[in-house]
Amino acid sequence: MSSPVAPGQRQSHKHASAPPGARRKPGNTESGPSPHRSTFRPDIEGLRAVAVLAVLAFHAQIPGAQGGFVGVDVFFVISGYLITGLLVREAITTGRIRLGDFFSRRARRLLPSAAVVLVAVAAVGAWLTVPLRRTDLEHDVVAAALSFANWRFVSQQTDYLAAGHDQSPLLHFWSLAVEEQFYFFWAPLLAVAALCVRRAVRRGRAVRATVALVVAPLAVGSFVLSLYWTQGSASLAYLGTPSRVWQFGAGALLALLPWHLMRGPRPLRLLCGWAGAVAIGWCVVSYDGSTPYPGIAALVPTLGTAAVILAAIPGRGERSVQGAYGVGRLLALRAPRAVGRLSYTLYLWHWPVLVLAEAGLGALGWPAKTALTLAAVLPALATMYWVERPLRRSRTVSAHARRGLSVGVTAIVLPVALALVVGSATLQLLGPDRPVGPRGLPAGAAAGPHLLVRQPGVPLADSPVTPGPAQARKDFPPDGECQVAPAVTRSPACLFGAVNSQDRIVLLGDSHAGQWFSPLLGLAAQRGWALQELVKQGCPLPQITVRSPQLGRAYRECDTWRADTLERLRQQPKPRLIVISSLNRYTDDQKLLAGGWEKTLRPLRELGAPIVYIEDTPVPGTDVPACVSGHLKAPAACAFDRRLAQQPDPLARRIASGALPGVQSIGVNGVLCPGAGPTCPAVLDQVLLYRDDAHLTNAAAVVLTSRLERLLTEAGALPAASAAGGTDGGAAGQGPAAGRPGPDGWTRLLRDDFDGPAGSRPSPANWLHDIGTCYPGCPAPQWGTGEIETMTDSTDNVRLDGRGALEIVPTRKNGKWSSGRIETRRADFAAPPGGTLRIEASIALPDVTGPKAAGYWPAFWTLGAPLRDGYTGWPGIGELDVMESVNGRDTVFGTMHCGVLKGGPCQEPAGLSSAPQPCPGCRTAFHSYAVEIDRSPGAEEVRWYLDGRVYHRVAAKRMDPGTWKRAVDHGLFLILNVAVGGELPRQDGASPGPATEPGHPMRIDHVTVSARAGEGRD
């Protein structure tokens, strides 16, 4: 359909053209400026043929017709000329313009044919297109039927982050929308002007002069706006109605000025007509997708069309000036006129035929597209003879304006209704389209060939693709407006995480850098650092000049932004780490690219901070979510060509050669595109990797967090985190670093000391918030325990205190309780075979007792990872309550849940619980609570500790091996929460009431998870 552009961006805005305007038949009076005679213009009917053939050749990609999109300008000028002439003649003849009659004629002439095409596209598209593409198509049908298709496509094509979708088979309806919006605006405007002079003595002159005074400034203003928008947003300029009004105005001025009173030398008219035709032809062969358009360039086809029309306007006393050698004589021949009569329906049909054929057959060359365009003549003829002409000529329909309007309304309602029915069914098939939250995402592997953590010998669960295709489309990094749009030249502050910290990571580059926002924010927050994002859409980080498809010209804003960003970094305090990334295919000129990188890296290296380049990820080059939506059961069908997706990375090679001291390179492509086969996967370990044709989903980026941390740590660019806000050797460096056994044999898997600014949230790299009153799908309302609070992620309920502790605070507002409940992102904490897993936290219970504490239920506990697969399977998946306390009592206890819902070896629903352990100081000071899962052969058990003292044990021999295995032989995730009310406080003799006092937090100093291998193991 057009030549390819930079990955991640939409294709050129010139992929469609306008439909023909109103057409003429002999005997009608719509096409001449003079009220004194019938002036049917056969040359204009032929001129439409030139316009539509130019558009068709452009869409078929016939060599030499790359500028055929100028046919839109020809149509707009013709429409302005004909419609204005029609309305002015009516105003002069009758003293008024009957808007009902005018809109009735337009409705029955244009809308039924359009409705036939829309219904056909909606139906055929539902059969040929994949579900996600189908929902887009049905939205397009609604927009086209309601005549605002141009604004829908403006919103899509000016949005860089919405790029990468396939072409719409209704993209060409933008120009029909522009024409219809012109009619809605133009006819009432001229009607008001006519009313103002209806009593003038010389009505014809008064009407023409008044309307001309209105049209001229509108046309000039529209042209100026077109120039401005062409510089700032090519899609808005090309598709927007205000920037096209001046072309209708050019035709209108031809109809308004008294050309019919002028004789004019015939040789001059002959020259004028041919010069206009040559200008149009020159544009067709000379313009292309790189021409800034409309802008100044649109003057040539616009004035050329005006010249052709003007050359054949009869002068005083003349009936016709179609000389033997005039261009009008050629245009008035039978063949051009026949094509001109068919131009409207042919225009409507040809583009859907091309796009839907490619949807079913794949990309086609220009010969095949030409053949398909010729084939579109058949439905175009059928629509003209069986729909358009019968309704235009029907005496029943044309007898009253309201009948024509009723036909128009019906032509709008039918495709809209069909689109809503098909679209609703497709949305139900696809499921929710809300962006997937980080809660519930599987844990990513830090190393190895797999994307996700896998238990040895345990196959990956057969689960739905995450995120779903509809969710993937919206799965952007949660960085607000920090990936600045093409027209913006300066990034905002864009500080995240511990914004008051003197330490920060800088993320720098284009949208391929922006896709690493979430994992880098997690890594920064885990260390108590800030993250600064300096990212601009479609802007190469190396200093090379490129063209922006969104702006339709050289990307000057990119050069300005890059220079400003480098200067800001020079003036700011030195960051702890600079992470850079960029699409590596802005140019094929390797020498130019190398020079551009050198110009950018030189000032960055002078800052003295470590610089890490994340190699560009694979670029599928196809709409991945759309493909996956059609292959949910077999997403391997959406694999894409490795050779095209992974081009050589010249910067990575230069870094590896040592040519850039101070710059290191890391990459994750070994896991995103594993092996050495010819293709790369679109879905890996049931994670949908791409949100469009070039960018990772945010879910995939989050899953890669652990791998990025390992790579950055191994490169020496990032200190190993022993806690959120701490690094080995610092205040939080108690015990071994993550991933390395200490002298006592324990390997730390997690340590969070909750360092960070007061009022901030806990590290998103470690923790997820549970929201509401149940897990997704609500398998167990009120969290299955009868609690009365609603869990939130508000810092009113979950926050850091700024002194190294986390607070979970139950609050009450308007009689309703809310609180906080957080889970570890990881769900793979498990005892090694034959070894031990230890989970520990230092906690101070809510400092409230007596009636004021009625209903308080603080807890620190674990659940089995299998629960996250649908949130079902309790209690068989296992639950270990490390610490619970209710109603403000000076006692705590631990419990194991397993087996079946009632009875069984774990005596459910009570579970295998310890006796209450006295702890009078647990409300006023931090105490240590721990549980160990010991898988030592022959001595398997779970042990509970209070301040290092074992007070409860559950041995494997208390139950059958199957129950024990299902309870402990898998990964776990940790939970911290303060519930309000529920079965356990009620059984203890108290429930929340008016005397219960909100606002008393459970405070957590740190959480640690460690593992120790069994005897004889590393």
Side-chain angles (χ1 to χ4, degrees):
M1 284 168 274
S2 69
S3 58
V5 294
Q9 303 181 18
R10 282 194 172 271
Q11 298 193 349
S12 171
H13 57 283
K14 300 167 187 133
H15 293 171
S17 181
R23 295 191 303 286
R24 291 282 304 134
K25 285 292 291 179
N28 290 353
T29 58
E30 290 189 16
S31 62
S34 173
H36 306 299
R37 63 173 76 85
S38 174
T39 55
F40 167 67
R41 294 282 302 276
D43 59 313
I44 290 183
E45 195 165 61
L47 185 58
R48 284 201 186 93
V50 173
V52 78
L53 289 175
V55 172
L56 267 58
F58 168 63
H59 285 162
Q61 294 184 318
I62 295 176
Q66 65 272 13
F69 54 81
V70 299
V72 68
D73 307 77
V74 178
F75 286 135
F76 286 168
V77 175
I78 291 174
S79 292
Y81 175 76
L82 296 179
I83 296 302
T84 304
L86 166 71
L87 294 173
V88 167
R89 281 194 305 277
E90 182 180 1
I92 292 172
T93 304
T94 66
R96 56 178 295 192
I97 294 175
R98 293 177 176 85
L99 295 178
D101 289 344
F102 172 79
F103 287 119
S104 175
R105 291 193 298 271
R106 300 273 72 72
R108 71 174 187 264
R109 173 170 295 188
L110 301 176
L111 297 184
S113 297
V116 170
V117 175
L118 292 176
V119 168
V121 169
V124 176
W127 172 49
L128 287 179
T129 59
V130 295
L132 188 57
R133 188 68 196 90
R134 197 178 308 153
T135 61
D136 295 335
L137 178 57
E138 304 311 329
H139 283 107
D140 294 346
V141 169
V142 173
L146 297 177
S147 300
F148 63 86
N150 61 320
W151 296 113
R152 170 167 168 79
F153 296 127
V154 164
S155 67
Q156 290 179 336
Q157 297 194 19
T158 56
D159 182 1
Y160 180 90
L161 296 180
H165 302 176
D166 293 334
Q167 289 281 19
S168 169
L170 298 177
L171 181 57
H172 64 319
F173 264 76
W174 77 267
S175 51
L176 181 59
V178 169
E179 290 233 20
E180 290 168 348
Q181 291 163 27
F182 165 71
Y183 299 152
F184 279 116
F185 163 74
W186 207 249
L189 181 67
L190 268 60
V192 171
L195 286 175
C196 292
V197 295
R198 67 184 183 279
R199 299 187 183 278
V201 175
R202 304 187 68 175
R203 186 190 296 162
R205 177 175 297 179
V207 167
R208 293 178 184 280
T210 302
V211 174
L213 289 174
V214 173
V215 170
L218 280 175
V220 171
S222 171
F223 181 65
V224 172
L225 181 63
S226 175
L227 297 179
Y228 176 73
W229 278 355
T230 301
Q231 289 298 307
S233 175
S235 296
L236 181 59
Y238 192 83
L239 302 173
T241 305
S243 57
R244 292 294 192 166
V245 166
W246 69 276
Q247 295 180 301
F248 294 101
L253 290 174
L254 287 177
L256 290 170
L257 299 179
W259 306 107
H260 64 282
L261 301 178
M262 301 172 59
R263 289 186 180 275
R266 290 196 176 186
L268 182 60
R269 294 189 180 198
L270 181 69
L271 180 62
C272 178
W274 279 110
V278 169
I280 296 171
W282 178 81
C283 293
V284 170
V285 300
S286 299
Y287 287 1
D288 58 25
S290 65
T291 305
Y293 212 81
I296 292 292
L299 277 173
V300 180
T302 301
L303 296 179
T305 305
V308 173
I309 295 173
L310 176 61
I313 293 179
R316 185 195 301 272
E318 296 175 338
R319 290 189 57 83
S320 174
V321 292
Q322 302 293 350
Y325 302 104
V327 68
R329 177 70 172 244
L330 179 63
L331 294 173
L333 294 176
R334 292 182 62 183
R337 288 179 57 193
V339 176
R341 285 191 294 272
L342 186 64
S343 59
Y344 178 56
T345 54
L346 180 57
Y347 175 82
L348 289 176
W349 276 107
H350 85 283
W351 182 248
V353 168
L354 289 175
V355 175
L356 291 175
E358 287 202 320
L361 302 175
L364 302 172
W366 74 266
K369 289 186 175 184
T370 302
L372 287 169
T373 302
L374 292 175
V377 171
L378 296 177
L381 283 169
T383 304
M384 183 178 72
Y385 282 113
W386 298 339
V387 178
E388 178 187 339
R389 284 188 175 179
L391 287 172
R392 285 178 59 190
R393 296 175 177 178
S394 171
R395 293 184 178 181
T396 302
V397 174
S398 60
H400 299 285
R402 64 177 178 271
R403 294 177 183 173
L405 294 174
S406 298
V407 169
V409 170
T410 303
I412 293 172
V413 170
L414 284 178
V416 168
L418 178 61
L420 292 177
V421 170
V422 174
S424 298
T426 306
L427 286 175
Q428 290 181 354
L429 175 68
L430 286 172
D433 63 351
R434 296 184 303 275
V436 64
R439 177 160 51 104
L441 285 177
H450 301 298
L451 179 67
L452 302 182
V453 171
R454 297 189 183 184
Q455 294 297 318
V458 179
L460 191 68
D462 185 14
S463 58
V465 171
T466 302
Q471 293 173 312
R473 276 277 179 86
K474 301 179 180 180
D475 199 21
F476 298 101
D479 54 359
E481 300 297 321
C482 286
Q483 294 195 41
V484 296
V488 180
T489 58
R490 181 178 174 83
S491 289
C494 288
L495 279 173
F496 299 87
V499 296
N500 295 322
S501 173
Q502 295 299 309
D503 297 317
R504 76 186 191 286
I505 299 174
V506 172
L507 176 60
L508 178 63
D510 61 5
S511 58
H512 281 234
Q515 65 189 1
W516 300 116
F517 170 82
S518 291
L520 288 177
L521 176 60
L523 298 179
Q526 190 177 8
R527 290 155 175 79
W529 297 359
L531 175 68
Q532 182 179 22
E533 185 183 28
L534 299 171
V535 166
K536 183 168 176 61
Q537 300 166 8
C539 178
L541 190 55
Q543 292 191 30
I544 57 175
T545 299
V546 295
R547 184 179 181 275
S548 168
Q550 282 69 38
L551 301 178
R553 54 170 171 76
Y555 201 176
R556 297 187 294 272
E557 289 80 358
C558 173
D559 300 331
T560 303
W561 172 87
R562 190 191 304 112
D564 175 77
T565 299
L566 293 175
E567 179 61 21
R568 286 173 65 180
L569 290 174
R570 189 184 67 83
Q571 294 179 359
Q572 292 177 176
K574 184 176 73 172
R576 289 290 296 268
L577 173 63
I578 300 174
V579 176
I580 62 175
S581 192
S582 180
L583 180 73
N584 69 358
R585 54 183 72 191
Y586 284 104
T587 178
D588 293 329
D589 188 335
Q590 298 299 307
K591 185 176 180 181
L592 176 66
L593 186 61
W597 272 117
E598 184 60 38
K599 292 176 183 177
T600 296
L601 290 174
R602 186 182 302 116
L604 286 177
R605 291 162 65 192
E606 291 173 354
L607 298 176
I611 301 172
V612 174
Y613 169 61
I614 301 180
E615 297 173 22
D616 193 23
T617 50
V619 176
T622 186
D623 188 348
V624 171
C627 179
V628 173
S629 72
H631 301 87
L632 288 174
K633 299 298 184 181
C638 297
F640 46 90
D641 190 288
R642 176 192 295 268
R643 180 179 56 84
L644 297 177
Q646 283 191 279
Q647 295 185 359
D649 195 319
L651 180 59
R653 288 202 303 265
R654 291 202 69 206
I655 294 172
S657 71
L660 296 171
V663 184
Q664 299 190 70
S665 175
I666 64 172
V668 295
N669 291 351
V671 68
L672 291 178
C673 190
T679 62
C680 296
V683 175
L684 194 62
D685 288 355
Q686 294 304 102
V687 176
L688 205 167
L689 298 177
Y690 303 92
R691 69 172 187 257
D692 50 29
D693 64 346
H695 300 87
L696 295 178
T697 59
N698 190 58
V702 169
V703 168
L704 287 164
T705 299
S706 297
R707 190 173 298 264
L708 273 183
E709 181 174 30
R710 177 183 63 81
L711 293 171
L712 291 169
T713 303
E714 290 177 351
L718 196 68
S722 59
T727 58
D728 290 339
Q734 306 163 22
R740 296 197 302 270
D744 56 359
W746 288 98
T747 298
R748 181 177 299 162
L749 306 179
L750 171 72
R751 168 84 179 198
D752 199 332
D753 280 295
F754 302 111
D755 290 330
S760 61
R761 290 182 170 87
S763 166
N766 291 340
W767 301 98
L768 308 171
H769 288 269
D770 290 328
I771 305 296
T773 59
C774 52
Y775 279 120
C778 220
Q782 295 178 288
W783 302 110
T785 61
E787 305 162 25
I788 66 170
E789 84 290 340
T790 298
M791 295 299 184
T792 81
D793 62 355
S794 168
T795 52
D796 290 340
N797 297 120
V798 184
R799 62 187 177 235
L800 303 183
D801 68 356
R803 299 187 300 275
L806 172 72
E807 295 182 335
I808 300 181
V809 192
T811 60
R812 183 174 57 201
K813 186 175 182 180
N814 298 325
K816 295 183 178 180
W817 285 89
S818 62
S819 189
R821 171 175 166 142
I822 62 173
E823 301 178 355
T824 54
R825 181 180 297 279
R826 292 180 59 176
D828 61 341
F829 300 122
T836 305
L837 179 74
R838 180 179 176 85
I839 298 168
E840 181 179 5
S842 178
I843 299 174
L845 299 180
D847 191 12
V848 60
T849 190
K852 295 180 179 180
Y856 267 73
W857 184 3
F860 172 46
W861 47 303
T862 77
L863 283 171
L867 185 78
R868 284 184 171 171
D869 184 12
Y871 297 100
T872 59
W874 189 94
I877 50 86
E879 174 183 329
L880 301 177
D881 299 325
V882 188
M883 182 283 301
E884 290 185 277
S885 181
V886 293
N887 299 326
R889 298 197 181 280
D890 291 330
T891 57
V892 295
F893 52 90
T895 305
M896 179 175 181
H897 294 278
C898 64
V900 294
L901 285 173
K902 290 187 177 181
C906 281
Q907 302 171 19
E908 297 300 344
L912 301 176
S913 185
S914 71
Q917 301 297 304
C919 191
C922 285
R923 289 182 289 103
T924 57
F926 288 102
H927 288 258
S928 173
Y929 304 90
V931 68
E932 288 183 353
I933 303 173
D934 190 343
R935 303 297 305 280
S936 300
E940 291 191 61
E941 67 175 4
V942 180
R943 296 182 291 271
W944 280 257
Y945 296 80
L946 173 58
D947 292 328
R949 175 181 60 85
V950 176
Y951 69 89
H952 184 44
R953 298 174 186 265
V954 175
K957 60 186 179 182
R958 291 190 60 173
M959 61 195 72
D960 61 278
T963 299
W964 178 260
K965 182 177 178 65
R966 286 190 295 273
V968 301
D969 191 13
H970 48 60
L972 306 173
F973 59 93
L974 281 54
I975 306 171
L976 289 159
N977 73 283
V978 178
V980 180
E983 289 297 326
L984 199 58
R986 186 161 45 250
Q987 291 174 9
D988 185 66
S991 294
T996 305
E997 189 171 89
H1000 295 280
M1002 177 173 75
R1003 302 176 64 234
I1004 304 96
D1005 180 74
H1006 69 263
V1007 172
T1008 306
V1009 181
S1010 305
R1012 183 171 60 190
E1015 292 296 326
R1017 296 179 180 269
D1018 294 334

